[in-house]
Amino acid sequence: MKLKLEISPDLAALMQAEIAAGEKAVTIAMREAGAGLKSAWRGQITGAGLGTRLGNSIRLATYPKGSESLNAAALVWSNAPVIVGAHDAGPLIRSRNGFWLAIPTPAAGKSTRGGQITPSEWERRTGLRLRFVYRRRGPSLLVAEGRLNSKGRAVASRSKSGRGLTTVPIFLLVPQVKLRKRLDLARDAEQAIDGVPGRIVAGWAKTRS
C-alpha cells in the first residue's frame, strides 16, 4: 500500500503571499500617515498666520525608499526647527546678556538679511545714532532724530534747517517676552499615530480581497 499526502493550497506560497500583503499594507499606511501629518502641520502653521514659507519647511521622508517592508516608517520634520519649535512651545524669551530685548517698531524697517533688524544694524544702515529713553511705565525706548519717509520708515533728514525733524521711536526695550503658543504639533502627531493600525488593517484586507 502506498500513501501520498498533499497539502493544498501550498502553505509556503500562502505564507509568502500573506507576508507580501502585510508589507504592502504597512508601507502604504505609513506613507499615508506621513503625508497626512505633513499636510496637517503645514495647515497649522499657515492657519496661525506664520506664512507659507515656514509651512513649506515641513518635510516628509518614508523608509525604505523604493520598496515595501513590515518595518516601514515615515519621518516628518521641519527645516526651521527653532522657529517652529518656539511657536509650538510658547517659551519665555530673555536677552542673551540679561539686559534688554530690542523689539523693532514699524519705523525700524526690516533686516537686509531677513527677519528682525538689530539696533547696531539699523545704525549702520541709516547713519543715525540711537538714543536711550527710560520710561518708568511701559517699555523703554531707543529713539532717533530723523524723519519718516513715505513708507513710514525713519531716515536721516536732508533739511539743513531741521524742518520735518522729529524724534522717532525705533526700538521698544523689554526685559523679556512671552511668546504666545500658536501651534499644537503633538496633537496632530498623536492623531496620525493612532490612525496607523486602522490603516494597516484596512489596507491588508483590501490587498487580500
Side-chain angles (χ1 to χ4, degrees):
M1 178 183 294
K2 183 181 292 185
L3 297 176
K4 184 179 180 181
L5 178 63
E6 291 185 359
I7 301 177
S8 181
D10 187 335
L11 288 180
L14 185 62
M15 290 298 296
Q16 188 59 44
E18 200 68 19
I19 291 173
E23 290 175 338
K24 184 175 182 179
V26 172
T27 302
I28 291 175
M30 296 310 300
R31 288 173 182 169
E32 291 178 347
L37 181 57
K38 182 183 77 170
S39 178
W41 279 5
R42 286 187 173 185
Q44 267 204 63
I45 292 171
T46 55
L50 299 175
T52 56
R53 184 176 180 181
L54 187 61
N56 289 339
S57 74
I58 302 301
R59 295 286 190 267
L60 165 66
T62 55
Y63 305 94
K65 296 183 180 296
S67 60
E68 299 171 344
S69 171
L70 291 172
N71 296 316
L75 175 63
V76 182
W77 76 97
S78 171
N79 282 339
V82 175
I83 299 175
V84 172
H87 288 293
D88 186 43
L92 184 66
I93 302 175
R94 295 186 175 91
S95 171
R96 291 180 180 178
N97 56 19
F99 194 51
W100 298 103
L101 285 174
I103 310 300
T105 67
K110 296 183 179 180
S111 172
T112 56
R113 297 170 294 181
Q116 292 189 343
I117 191 170
T118 63
S120 59
E121 182 186 353
W122 190 88
E123 287 185 327
R124 289 195 305 270
R125 191 180 70 184
T126 63
L128 297 174
R129 298 291 296 175
L130 291 167
R131 177 167 57 86
F132 176 74
V133 176
Y134 174 75
R135 297 198 300 175
R136 296 184 65 182
R137 294 185 178 181
S140 295
L141 305 172
L142 288 178
V143 303
E145 307 302 322
R147 65 179 179 86
L148 293 176
N149 64 14
S150 59
K151 296 181 179 181
R153 308 286 172 78
V155 295
S157 176
R158 298 176 181 175
S159 174
K160 295 181 180 180
S161 64
R163 183 180 179 182
L165 194 67
T166 185
T167 300
V168 183
I170 308 299
F171 292 91
L172 305 178
L173 299 177
V174 295
Q176 61 188 29
V177 172
K178 181 67 170 68
L179 191 65
R180 180 167 63 92
K181 179 178 171 62
R182 305 173 75 175
L183 304 173
D184 189 355
L185 303 182
R187 178 196 63 202
D188 289 341
E190 290 171 0
Q191 290 178 352
I193 293 172
D194 291 343
V196 168
R199 290 179 182 274
I200 293 175
V201 172
W204 206 325
K206 184 178 179 180
T207 303
R208 296 170 61 186
S209 61

